[in-house]
Amino acid sequence: MPANLQQTIADIRSMKVRGAASIGIHAARALADHVQGLDGTPAQVLRQARVAARRLDAARPTAVTLHNCLGWVLAAVAAQASVPKQKKAARETARLVGMEVKASRAAIANHGAQHVPDGAVVLTHCHSSTALAVLAAAKRSGKSLEVIATETRPFRQGLITVKALRDEGISCALAVDSAVEHLLATRDIDLVLVGADTMTRDGVLINKIGTAGVAALAQLHEVPFYAAAGLHKFTRQMAADIPIEERAAGEVVAARDLARGARVLNPVFDRTPPGRIQACITEEGLASPRRAVQRNLARIVEEDAWG
Ligand code: RUB
């Protein structure tokens, strides 16, 4: 496998590159770079690009942004009748994918910020660049806010979140995941805001493990739960058809600390049903999960590009 492709796959698998949006942008760029080195007829180039895209796609199976961003590059390659045009189209599409994902985040930030009340206390889970963009936009618009970030075991993305919040000058606190119910019960939390790895055809949000539980507890305490999800997070697949990635036991506990013979379960995403989601924050504004799905699916690239 060419070095760049292999390196990108390794970086995604090891979580050096993580978070759905960032994974999608990196993978699209790696695929476009790979296409630059391909030879043969246009059909052969397309075939080799599809093989590379499938390898990249398998690096993290749950976040559909990866699949969509790769699909956009493949569709551009498939549409060209000469190899030089395929290479140019791959390069330009990867660049556009990067720009669109960033523009999507900015649009979501604008809409979302309007729904964060001045003085709000917000609970967030994991590290989502999109959820953070909403909070940063609210802060920049002059609102005061306080954010409680869950630690998000086992990878502890909450530490990235609090660092990013602090860099934005947003007052924040870190809490262990198991404190969520207590915090919802005892603090005046105005809303819960998370990102999205995938939004499925049946309106289900797939996001970092623990999200579904946080949403259930938010519903119990009548705290609105929002998911920031741009176009590239949507898929025609149903939630049950999206595999939930299981990662290594060593991310949870060192082997020496675990009783011999005990197993470790490490599913890293879960499924939040639409009934627990007040709204998705999309590029067009707020919408119910089902409405957001209806709007976005029409724009998602067809699977033909994958062959
Ligand atoms: C990250 C995660 C994030 C989404 C959205 O999981 O679940 O909430 O990817 O992020 P991991 P963004 O750390 O396992 O990749 O808004 O940046 O796309």
Side-chain angles (χ1 to χ4, degrees), residues 30-67:
L31 178 58
D33 287 350
H34 180 68
V35 168
Q36 306 312 305
L38 297 179
D39 293 318
T41 64
Q44 287 167 334
V45 165
L46 176 60
R47 206 159 37 240
Q48 294 170 79
R50 283 173 174 158
V51 171
R54 283 195 197 97
R55 285 189 182 138
L56 282 160
D57 200 24
R60 291 212 67 193
T62 306
V64 82
T65 298
L66 174 59
H67 187 78

PDB file of all heavy atoms in Angstrom, residues 30-67:
ATOM      1  N   ALA A  30      -6.206  12.220   1.299  1.00  0.00           N
ATOM      2  CA  ALA A  30      -5.323  11.058   1.072  1.00  0.00           C
ATOM      3  C   ALA A  30      -5.737  10.310  -0.190  1.00  0.00           C
ATOM      4  O   ALA A  30      -4.888   9.856  -0.963  1.00  0.00           O
ATOM      5  CB  ALA A  30      -5.363  10.133   2.285  1.00  0.00           C
ATOM      6  N   LEU A  31      -7.051  10.192  -0.403  1.00  0.00           N
ATOM      7  CA  LEU A  31      -7.523   9.498  -1.609  1.00  0.00           C
ATOM      8  C   LEU A  31      -7.129  10.290  -2.854  1.00  0.00           C
ATOM      9  O   LEU A  31      -6.635   9.713  -3.836  1.00  0.00           O
ATOM     10  CB  LEU A  31      -9.049   9.305  -1.543  1.00  0.00           C
ATOM     11  CG  LEU A  31      -9.683   8.628  -2.754  1.00  0.00           C
ATOM     12  CD1 LEU A  31      -9.080   7.239  -3.002  1.00  0.00           C
ATOM     13  CD2 LEU A  31     -11.203   8.504  -2.576  1.00  0.00           C
ATOM     14  N   ALA A  32      -7.306  11.600  -2.812  1.00  0.00           N
ATOM     15  CA  ALA A  32      -6.949  12.442  -3.965  1.00  0.00           C
ATOM     16  C   ALA A  32      -5.451  12.352  -4.238  1.00  0.00           C
ATOM     17  O   ALA A  32      -5.029  12.233  -5.397  1.00  0.00           O
ATOM     18  CB  ALA A  32      -7.362  13.885  -3.706  1.00  0.00           C
ATOM     19  N   ASP A  33      -4.623  12.360  -3.201  1.00  0.00           N
ATOM     20  CA  ASP A  33      -3.172  12.233  -3.383  1.00  0.00           C
ATOM     21  C   ASP A  33      -2.848  10.890  -4.022  1.00  0.00           C
ATOM     22  O   ASP A  33      -1.992  10.790  -4.895  1.00  0.00           O
ATOM     23  CB  ASP A  33      -2.435  12.312  -2.023  1.00  0.00           C
ATOM     24  CG  ASP A  33      -2.426  13.737  -1.482  1.00  0.00           C
ATOM     25  OD1 ASP A  33      -2.816  14.658  -2.227  1.00  0.00           O
ATOM     26  OD2 ASP A  33      -2.043  13.914  -0.305  1.00  0.00           O
ATOM     27  N   HIS A  34      -3.541   9.866  -3.568  1.00  0.00           N
ATOM     28  CA  HIS A  34      -3.301   8.519  -4.090  1.00  0.00           C
ATOM     29  C   HIS A  34      -3.637   8.460  -5.590  1.00  0.00           C
ATOM     30  O   HIS A  34      -2.882   7.877  -6.374  1.00  0.00           O
ATOM     31  CB  HIS A  34      -4.165   7.535  -3.300  1.00  0.00           C
ATOM     32  CG  HIS A  34      -4.012   6.123  -3.742  1.00  0.00           C
ATOM     33  ND1 HIS A  34      -2.843   5.410  -3.559  1.00  0.00           N
ATOM     34  CD2 HIS A  34      -4.865   5.289  -4.392  1.00  0.00           C
ATOM     35  CE1 HIS A  34      -2.991   4.202  -4.062  1.00  0.00           C
ATOM     36  NE2 HIS A  34      -4.204   4.106  -4.571  1.00  0.00           N
ATOM     37  N   VAL A  35      -4.730   9.094  -5.953  1.00  0.00           N
ATOM     38  CA  VAL A  35      -5.159   9.092  -7.367  1.00  0.00           C
ATOM     39  C   VAL A  35      -4.076   9.729  -8.254  1.00  0.00           C
ATOM     40  O   VAL A  35      -3.870   9.297  -9.393  1.00  0.00           O
ATOM     41  CB  VAL A  35      -6.531   9.807  -7.515  1.00  0.00           C
ATOM     42  CG1 VAL A  35      -6.869  10.085  -8.978  1.00  0.00           C
ATOM     43  CG2 VAL A  35      -7.630   8.971  -6.862  1.00  0.00           C
ATOM     44  N   GLN A  36      -3.361  10.717  -7.729  1.00  0.00           N
ATOM     45  CA  GLN A  36      -2.338  11.396  -8.536  1.00  0.00           C
ATOM     46  C   GLN A  36      -1.267  10.418  -9.025  1.00  0.00           C
ATOM     47  O   GLN A  36      -0.682  10.603 -10.079  1.00  0.00           O
ATOM     48  CB  GLN A  36      -1.654  12.531  -7.747  1.00  0.00           C
ATOM     49  CG  GLN A  36      -2.594  13.561  -7.141  1.00  0.00           C
ATOM     50  CD  GLN A  36      -3.638  14.075  -8.128  1.00  0.00           C
ATOM     51  OE1 GLN A  36      -3.284  14.554  -9.199  1.00  0.00           O
ATOM     52  NE2 GLN A  36      -4.915  13.948  -7.777  1.00  0.00           N
ATOM     53  N   GLY A  37      -1.024   9.338  -8.287  1.00  0.00           N
ATOM     54  CA  GLY A  37       0.023   8.394  -8.653  1.00  0.00           C
ATOM     55  C   GLY A  37      -0.483   7.205  -9.452  1.00  0.00           C
ATOM     56  O   GLY A  37       0.285   6.287  -9.742  1.00  0.00           O
ATOM     57  N   LEU A  38      -1.758   7.179  -9.816  1.00  0.00           N
ATOM     58  CA  LEU A  38      -2.312   5.999 -10.515  1.00  0.00           C
ATOM     59  C   LEU A  38      -2.100   6.096 -12.023  1.00  0.00           C
ATOM     60  O   LEU A  38      -2.112   7.189 -12.598  1.00  0.00           O
ATOM     61  CB  LEU A  38      -3.811   5.860 -10.204  1.00  0.00           C
ATOM     62  CG  LEU A  38      -4.169   5.618  -8.729  1.00  0.00           C
ATOM     63  CD1 LEU A  38      -5.679   5.534  -8.559  1.00  0.00           C
ATOM     64  CD2 LEU A  38      -3.500   4.345  -8.211  1.00  0.00           C
ATOM     65  N   ASP A  39      -1.939   4.934 -12.661  1.00  0.00           N
ATOM     66  CA  ASP A  39      -1.765   4.867 -14.124  1.00  0.00           C
ATOM     67  C   ASP A  39      -2.786   3.893 -14.708  1.00  0.00           C
ATOM     68  O   ASP A  39      -3.369   3.103 -13.982  1.00  0.00           O
ATOM     69  CB  ASP A  39      -0.370   4.313 -14.473  1.00  0.00           C
ATOM     70  CG  ASP A  39       0.719   5.272 -14.059  1.00  0.00           C
ATOM     71  OD1 ASP A  39       0.532   6.485 -14.268  1.00  0.00           O
ATOM     72  OD2 ASP A  39       1.724   4.793 -13.495  1.00  0.00           O
ATOM     73  N   GLY A  40      -2.900   3.956 -16.048  1.00  0.00           N
ATOM     74  CA  GLY A  40      -3.781   3.006 -16.753  1.00  0.00           C
ATOM     75  C   GLY A  40      -4.876   3.735 -17.485  1.00  0.00           C
ATOM     76  O   GLY A  40      -4.787   4.948 -17.726  1.00  0.00           O
ATOM     77  N   THR A  41      -5.932   3.017 -17.823  1.00  0.00           N
ATOM     78  CA  THR A  41      -7.083   3.627 -18.479  1.00  0.00           C
ATOM     79  C   THR A  41      -7.949   4.297 -17.400  1.00  0.00           C
ATOM     80  O   THR A  41      -7.796   3.981 -16.204  1.00  0.00           O
ATOM     81  CB  THR A  41      -7.934   2.551 -19.171  1.00  0.00           C
ATOM     82  OG1 THR A  41      -8.433   1.692 -18.130  1.00  0.00           O
ATOM     83  CG2 THR A  41      -7.111   1.728 -20.168  1.00  0.00           C
ATOM     84  N   PRO A  42      -8.882   5.156 -17.799  1.00  0.00           N
ATOM     85  CA  PRO A  42      -9.769   5.759 -16.796  1.00  0.00           C
ATOM     86  C   PRO A  42     -10.505   4.704 -15.957  1.00  0.00           C
ATOM     87  O   PRO A  42     -10.652   4.861 -14.742  1.00  0.00           O
ATOM     88  CB  PRO A  42     -10.730   6.596 -17.635  1.00  0.00           C
ATOM     89  CG  PRO A  42      -9.944   6.952 -18.850  1.00  0.00           C
ATOM     90  CD  PRO A  42      -9.064   5.764 -19.140  1.00  0.00           C
ATOM     91  N   ALA A  43     -10.898   3.601 -16.604  1.00  0.00           N
ATOM     92  CA  ALA A  43     -11.611   2.548 -15.853  1.00  0.00           C
ATOM     93  C   ALA A  43     -10.684   1.913 -14.820  1.00  0.00           C
ATOM     94  O   ALA A  43     -11.108   1.612 -13.691  1.00  0.00           O
ATOM     95  CB  ALA A  43     -12.140   1.491 -16.821  1.00  0.00           C
ATOM     96  N   GLN A  44      -9.414   1.726 -15.205  1.00  0.00           N
ATOM     97  CA  GLN A  44      -8.454   1.128 -14.251  1.00  0.00           C
ATOM     98  C   GLN A  44      -8.162   2.083 -13.100  1.00  0.00           C
ATOM     99  O   GLN A  44      -8.060   1.670 -11.947  1.00  0.00           O
ATOM    100  CB  GLN A  44      -7.150   0.771 -14.976  1.00  0.00           C
ATOM    101  CG  GLN A  44      -7.307  -0.444 -15.869  1.00  0.00           C
ATOM    102  CD  GLN A  44      -6.131  -0.613 -16.829  1.00  0.00           C
ATOM    103  OE1 GLN A  44      -5.451   0.350 -17.180  1.00  0.00           O
ATOM    104  NE2 GLN A  44      -5.909  -1.844 -17.250  1.00  0.00           N
ATOM    105  N   VAL A  45      -8.042   3.356 -13.425  1.00  0.00           N
ATOM    106  CA  VAL A  45      -7.791   4.348 -12.372  1.00  0.00           C
ATOM    107  C   VAL A  45      -8.968   4.366 -11.395  1.00  0.00           C
ATOM    108  O   VAL A  45      -8.791   4.357 -10.165  1.00  0.00           O
ATOM    109  CB  VAL A  45      -7.535   5.752 -12.985  1.00  0.00           C
ATOM    110  CG1 VAL A  45      -7.626   6.850 -11.925  1.00  0.00           C
ATOM    111  CG2 VAL A  45      -6.167   5.775 -13.652  1.00  0.00           C
ATOM    112  N   LEU A  46     -10.171   4.340 -11.941  1.00  0.00           N
ATOM    113  CA  LEU A  46     -11.361   4.349 -11.068  1.00  0.00           C
ATOM    114  C   LEU A  46     -11.370   3.107 -10.175  1.00  0.00           C
ATOM    115  O   LEU A  46     -11.651   3.193  -8.969  1.00  0.00           O
ATOM    116  CB  LEU A  46     -12.636   4.428 -11.922  1.00  0.00           C
ATOM    117  CG  LEU A  46     -13.953   4.350 -11.155  1.00  0.00           C
ATOM    118  CD1 LEU A  46     -14.074   5.488 -10.135  1.00  0.00           C
ATOM    119  CD2 LEU A  46     -15.152   4.393 -12.114  1.00  0.00           C
ATOM    120  N   ARG A  47     -11.044   1.964 -10.790  1.00  0.00           N
ATOM    121  CA  ARG A  47     -11.046   0.716 -10.013  1.00  0.00           C
ATOM    122  C   ARG A  47     -10.040   0.797  -8.851  1.00  0.00           C
ATOM    123  O   ARG A  47     -10.350   0.450  -7.726  1.00  0.00           O
ATOM    124  CB  ARG A  47     -10.717  -0.457 -10.945  1.00  0.00           C
ATOM    125  CG  ARG A  47     -11.296  -1.764 -10.446  1.00  0.00           C
ATOM    126  CD  ARG A  47     -11.464  -2.845 -11.489  1.00  0.00           C
ATOM    127  NE  ARG A  47     -10.409  -2.899 -12.477  1.00  0.00           N
ATOM    128  CZ  ARG A  47     -10.610  -2.746 -13.784  1.00  0.00           C
ATOM    129  NH1 ARG A  47     -11.813  -2.525 -14.251  1.00  0.00           N
ATOM    130  NH2 ARG A  47      -9.600  -2.836 -14.636  1.00  0.00           N
ATOM    131  N   GLN A  48      -8.851   1.299  -9.151  1.00  0.00           N
ATOM    132  CA  GLN A  48      -7.815   1.401  -8.096  1.00  0.00           C
ATOM    133  C   GLN A  48      -8.205   2.435  -7.037  1.00  0.00           C
ATOM    134  O   GLN A  48      -7.938   2.253  -5.854  1.00  0.00           O
ATOM    135  CB  GLN A  48      -6.477   1.801  -8.720  1.00  0.00           C
ATOM    136  CG  GLN A  48      -5.896   0.742  -9.650  1.00  0.00           C
ATOM    137  CD  GLN A  48      -4.695   1.309 -10.409  1.00  0.00           C
ATOM    138  OE1 GLN A  48      -3.605   1.403  -9.868  1.00  0.00           O
ATOM    139  NE2 GLN A  48      -4.887   1.712 -11.648  1.00  0.00           N
ATOM    140  N   ALA A  49      -8.846   3.507  -7.482  1.00  0.00           N
ATOM    141  CA  ALA A  49      -9.300   4.533  -6.519  1.00  0.00           C
ATOM    142  C   ALA A  49     -10.351   3.932  -5.579  1.00  0.00           C
ATOM    143  O   ALA A  49     -10.353   4.210  -4.374  1.00  0.00           O
ATOM    144  CB  ALA A  49      -9.869   5.737  -7.263  1.00  0.00           C
ATOM    145  N   ARG A  50     -11.219   3.076  -6.140  1.00  0.00           N
ATOM    146  CA  ARG A  50     -12.250   2.441  -5.289  1.00  0.00           C
ATOM    147  C   ARG A  50     -11.618   1.514  -4.253  1.00  0.00           C
ATOM    148  O   ARG A  50     -12.065   1.471  -3.104  1.00  0.00           O
ATOM    149  CB  ARG A  50     -13.225   1.654  -6.170  1.00  0.00           C
ATOM    150  CG  ARG A  50     -14.220   2.549  -6.873  1.00  0.00           C
ATOM    151  CD  ARG A  50     -15.040   1.746  -7.843  1.00  0.00           C
ATOM    152  NE  ARG A  50     -16.094   2.551  -8.437  1.00  0.00           N
ATOM    153  CZ  ARG A  50     -16.682   2.263  -9.591  1.00  0.00           C
ATOM    154  NH1 ARG A  50     -16.321   1.185 -10.272  1.00  0.00           N
ATOM    155  NH2 ARG A  50     -17.635   3.030 -10.058  1.00  0.00           N
ATOM    156  N   VAL A  51     -10.585   0.793  -4.667  1.00  0.00           N
ATOM    157  CA  VAL A  51      -9.903  -0.110  -3.709  1.00  0.00           C
ATOM    158  C   VAL A  51      -9.314   0.722  -2.560  1.00  0.00           C
ATOM    159  O   VAL A  51      -9.485   0.398  -1.385  1.00  0.00           O
ATOM    160  CB  VAL A  51      -8.797  -0.933  -4.432  1.00  0.00           C
ATOM    161  CG1 VAL A  51      -7.941  -1.691  -3.427  1.00  0.00           C
ATOM    162  CG2 VAL A  51      -9.425  -1.895  -5.438  1.00  0.00           C
ATOM    163  N   ALA A  52      -8.650   1.811  -2.926  1.00  0.00           N
ATOM    164  CA  ALA A  52      -8.037   2.672  -1.897  1.00  0.00           C
ATOM    165  C   ALA A  52      -9.118   3.270  -0.998  1.00  0.00           C
ATOM    166  O   ALA A  52      -8.963   3.327   0.230  1.00  0.00           O
ATOM    167  CB  ALA A  52      -7.231   3.774  -2.568  1.00  0.00           C
ATOM    168  N   ALA A  53     -10.224   3.703  -1.608  1.00  0.00           N
ATOM    169  CA  ALA A  53     -11.310   4.318  -0.822  1.00  0.00           C
ATOM    170  C   ALA A  53     -11.892   3.306   0.164  1.00  0.00           C
ATOM    171  O   ALA A  53     -12.185   3.654   1.315  1.00  0.00           O
ATOM    172  CB  ALA A  53     -12.396   4.840  -1.763  1.00  0.00           C
ATOM    173  N   ARG A  54     -12.024   2.050  -0.265  1.00  0.00           N
ATOM    174  CA  ARG A  54     -12.573   1.032   0.645  1.00  0.00           C
ATOM    175  C   ARG A  54     -11.641   0.803   1.829  1.00  0.00           C
ATOM    176  O   ARG A  54     -12.095   0.598   2.958  1.00  0.00           O
ATOM    177  CB  ARG A  54     -12.821  -0.280  -0.102  1.00  0.00           C
ATOM    178  CG  ARG A  54     -14.069  -0.201  -0.945  1.00  0.00           C
ATOM    179  CD  ARG A  54     -14.573  -1.560  -1.412  1.00  0.00           C
ATOM    180  NE  ARG A  54     -15.491  -1.321  -2.517  1.00  0.00           N
ATOM    181  CZ  ARG A  54     -15.155  -1.395  -3.803  1.00  0.00           C
ATOM    182  NH1 ARG A  54     -13.953  -1.775  -4.151  1.00  0.00           N
ATOM    183  NH2 ARG A  54     -16.046  -1.122  -4.745  1.00  0.00           N
ATOM    184  N   ARG A  55     -10.342   0.845   1.562  1.00  0.00           N
ATOM    185  CA  ARG A  55      -9.383   0.673   2.675  1.00  0.00           C
ATOM    186  C   ARG A  55      -9.491   1.825   3.665  1.00  0.00           C
ATOM    187  O   ARG A  55      -9.511   1.629   4.871  1.00  0.00           O
ATOM    188  CB  ARG A  55      -7.952   0.615   2.134  1.00  0.00           C
ATOM    189  CG  ARG A  55      -7.662  -0.696   1.473  1.00  0.00           C
ATOM    190  CD  ARG A  55      -6.171  -0.779   1.170  1.00  0.00           C
ATOM    191  NE  ARG A  55      -5.907  -2.024   0.492  1.00  0.00           N
ATOM    192  CZ  ARG A  55      -5.084  -2.158  -0.551  1.00  0.00           C
ATOM    193  NH1 ARG A  55      -4.425  -1.123  -1.008  1.00  0.00           N
ATOM    194  NH2 ARG A  55      -4.910  -3.327  -1.107  1.00  0.00           N
ATOM    195  N   LEU A  56      -9.566   3.031   3.124  1.00  0.00           N
ATOM    196  CA  LEU A  56      -9.693   4.201   4.005  1.00  0.00           C
ATOM    197  C   LEU A  56     -11.009   4.128   4.790  1.00  0.00           C
ATOM    198  O   LEU A  56     -11.059   4.391   5.987  1.00  0.00           O
ATOM    199  CB  LEU A  56      -9.668   5.487   3.180  1.00  0.00           C
ATOM    200  CG  LEU A  56      -8.291   5.950   2.688  1.00  0.00           C
ATOM    201  CD1 LEU A  56      -8.429   6.903   1.507  1.00  0.00           C
ATOM    202  CD2 LEU A  56      -7.514   6.622   3.826  1.00  0.00           C
ATOM    203  N   ASP A  57     -12.062   3.731   4.089  1.00  0.00           N
ATOM    204  CA  ASP A  57     -13.398   3.693   4.691  1.00  0.00           C
ATOM    205  C   ASP A  57     -13.463   2.713   5.863  1.00  0.00           C
ATOM    206  O   ASP A  57     -14.207   2.916   6.816  1.00  0.00           O
ATOM    207  CB  ASP A  57     -14.405   3.284   3.600  1.00  0.00           C
ATOM    208  CG  ASP A  57     -15.822   3.672   3.962  1.00  0.00           C
ATOM    209  OD1 ASP A  57     -15.999   4.616   4.760  1.00  0.00           O
ATOM    210  OD2 ASP A  57     -16.764   3.035   3.451  1.00  0.00           O
ATOM    211  N   ALA A  58     -12.663   1.646   5.761  1.00  0.00           N
ATOM    212  CA  ALA A  58     -12.698   0.615   6.809  1.00  0.00           C
ATOM    213  C   ALA A  58     -11.923   1.040   8.054  1.00  0.00           C
ATOM    214  O   ALA A  58     -11.994   0.386   9.094  1.00  0.00           O
ATOM    215  CB  ALA A  58     -12.124  -0.691   6.261  1.00  0.00           C
ATOM    216  N   ALA A  59     -11.177   2.158   7.959  1.00  0.00           N
ATOM    217  CA  ALA A  59     -10.322   2.556   9.086  1.00  0.00           C
ATOM    218  C   ALA A  59     -11.153   2.873  10.321  1.00  0.00           C
ATOM    219  O   ALA A  59     -10.742   2.581  11.450  1.00  0.00           O
ATOM    220  CB  ALA A  59      -9.453   3.746   8.707  1.00  0.00           C
ATOM    221  N   ARG A  60     -12.327   3.521  10.125  1.00  0.00           N
ATOM    222  CA  ARG A  60     -13.262   3.719  11.239  1.00  0.00           C
ATOM    223  C   ARG A  60     -14.653   3.508  10.661  1.00  0.00           C
ATOM    224  O   ARG A  60     -15.149   4.338   9.893  1.00  0.00           O
ATOM    225  CB  ARG A  60     -13.107   5.110  11.870  1.00  0.00           C
ATOM    226  CG  ARG A  60     -11.771   5.204  12.607  1.00  0.00           C
ATOM    227  CD  ARG A  60     -11.770   6.080  13.805  1.00  0.00           C
ATOM    228  NE  ARG A  60     -12.554   5.658  14.923  1.00  0.00           N
ATOM    229  CZ  ARG A  60     -12.839   6.474  15.944  1.00  0.00           C
ATOM    230  NH1 ARG A  60     -12.395   7.716  15.937  1.00  0.00           N
ATOM    231  NH2 ARG A  60     -13.547   6.050  16.962  1.00  0.00           N
ATOM    232  N   PRO A  61     -15.281   2.419  11.036  1.00  0.00           N
ATOM    233  CA  PRO A  61     -16.493   2.013  10.330  1.00  0.00           C
ATOM    234  C   PRO A  61     -17.782   2.754  10.704  1.00  0.00           C
ATOM    235  O   PRO A  61     -18.779   2.615   9.996  1.00  0.00           O
ATOM    236  CB  PRO A  61     -16.620   0.525  10.700  1.00  0.00           C
ATOM    237  CG  PRO A  61     -15.914   0.399  12.014  1.00  0.00           C
ATOM    238  CD  PRO A  61     -14.838   1.428  12.028  1.00  0.00           C
ATOM    239  N   THR A  62     -17.795   3.532  11.768  1.00  0.00           N
ATOM    240  CA  THR A  62     -19.074   4.082  12.246  1.00  0.00           C
ATOM    241  C   THR A  62     -19.373   5.482  11.726  1.00  0.00           C
ATOM    242  O   THR A  62     -20.528   5.802  11.435  1.00  0.00           O
ATOM    243  CB  THR A  62     -19.118   4.052  13.798  1.00  0.00           C
ATOM    244  OG1 THR A  62     -18.857   2.721  14.236  1.00  0.00           O
ATOM    245  CG2 THR A  62     -20.463   4.498  14.323  1.00  0.00           C
ATOM    246  N   ALA A  63     -18.346   6.327  11.612  1.00  0.00           N
ATOM    247  CA  ALA A  63     -18.599   7.730  11.232  1.00  0.00           C
ATOM    248  C   ALA A  63     -18.797   7.836   9.727  1.00  0.00           C
ATOM    249  O   ALA A  63     -17.875   7.626   8.946  1.00  0.00           O
ATOM    250  CB  ALA A  63     -17.428   8.602  11.668  1.00  0.00           C
ATOM    251  N   VAL A  64     -19.999   8.163   9.315  1.00  0.00           N
ATOM    252  CA  VAL A  64     -20.345   8.134   7.893  1.00  0.00           C
ATOM    253  C   VAL A  64     -19.734   9.299   7.117  1.00  0.00           C
ATOM    254  O   VAL A  64     -19.655   9.262   5.892  1.00  0.00           O
ATOM    255  CB  VAL A  64     -21.879   8.052   7.735  1.00  0.00           C
ATOM    256  CG1 VAL A  64     -22.515   9.399   7.862  1.00  0.00           C
ATOM    257  CG2 VAL A  64     -22.241   7.400   6.421  1.00  0.00           C
ATOM    258  N   THR A  65     -19.267  10.310   7.810  1.00  0.00           N
ATOM    259  CA  THR A  65     -18.584  11.415   7.125  1.00  0.00           C
ATOM    260  C   THR A  65     -17.432  10.878   6.283  1.00  0.00           C
ATOM    261  O   THR A  65     -17.194  11.335   5.168  1.00  0.00           O
ATOM    262  CB  THR A  65     -18.026  12.417   8.156  1.00  0.00           C
ATOM    263  OG1 THR A  65     -19.108  12.955   8.869  1.00  0.00           O
ATOM    264  CG2 THR A  65     -17.264  13.550   7.492  1.00  0.00           C
ATOM    265  N   LEU A  66     -16.725   9.919   6.837  1.00  0.00           N
ATOM    266  CA  LEU A  66     -15.612   9.300   6.122  1.00  0.00           C
ATOM    267  C   LEU A  66     -16.114   8.736   4.793  1.00  0.00           C
ATOM    268  O   LEU A  66     -15.555   9.012   3.729  1.00  0.00           O
ATOM    269  CB  LEU A  66     -15.020   8.206   7.030  1.00  0.00           C
ATOM    270  CG  LEU A  66     -13.921   7.314   6.467  1.00  0.00           C
ATOM    271  CD1 LEU A  66     -12.730   8.127   6.021  1.00  0.00           C
ATOM    272  CD2 LEU A  66     -13.479   6.295   7.531  1.00  0.00           C
ATOM    273  N   HIS A  67     -17.172   7.966   4.865  1.00  0.00           N
ATOM    274  CA  HIS A  67     -17.744   7.342   3.665  1.00  0.00           C
ATOM    275  C   HIS A  67     -18.241   8.403   2.675  1.00  0.00           C
ATOM    276  O   HIS A  67     -17.988   8.312   1.476  1.00  0.00           O
ATOM    277  CB  HIS A  67     -18.891   6.426   4.096  1.00  0.00           C
ATOM    278  CG  HIS A  67     -19.458   5.611   2.999  1.00  0.00           C
ATOM    279  ND1 HIS A  67     -18.848   4.470   2.529  1.00  0.00           N
ATOM    280  CD2 HIS A  67     -20.571   5.778   2.244  1.00  0.00           C
ATOM    281  CE1 HIS A  67     -19.563   3.964   1.545  1.00  0.00           C
ATOM    282  NE2 HIS A  67     -20.619   4.733   1.352  1.00  0.00           N
TER     283      HIS A  67
END
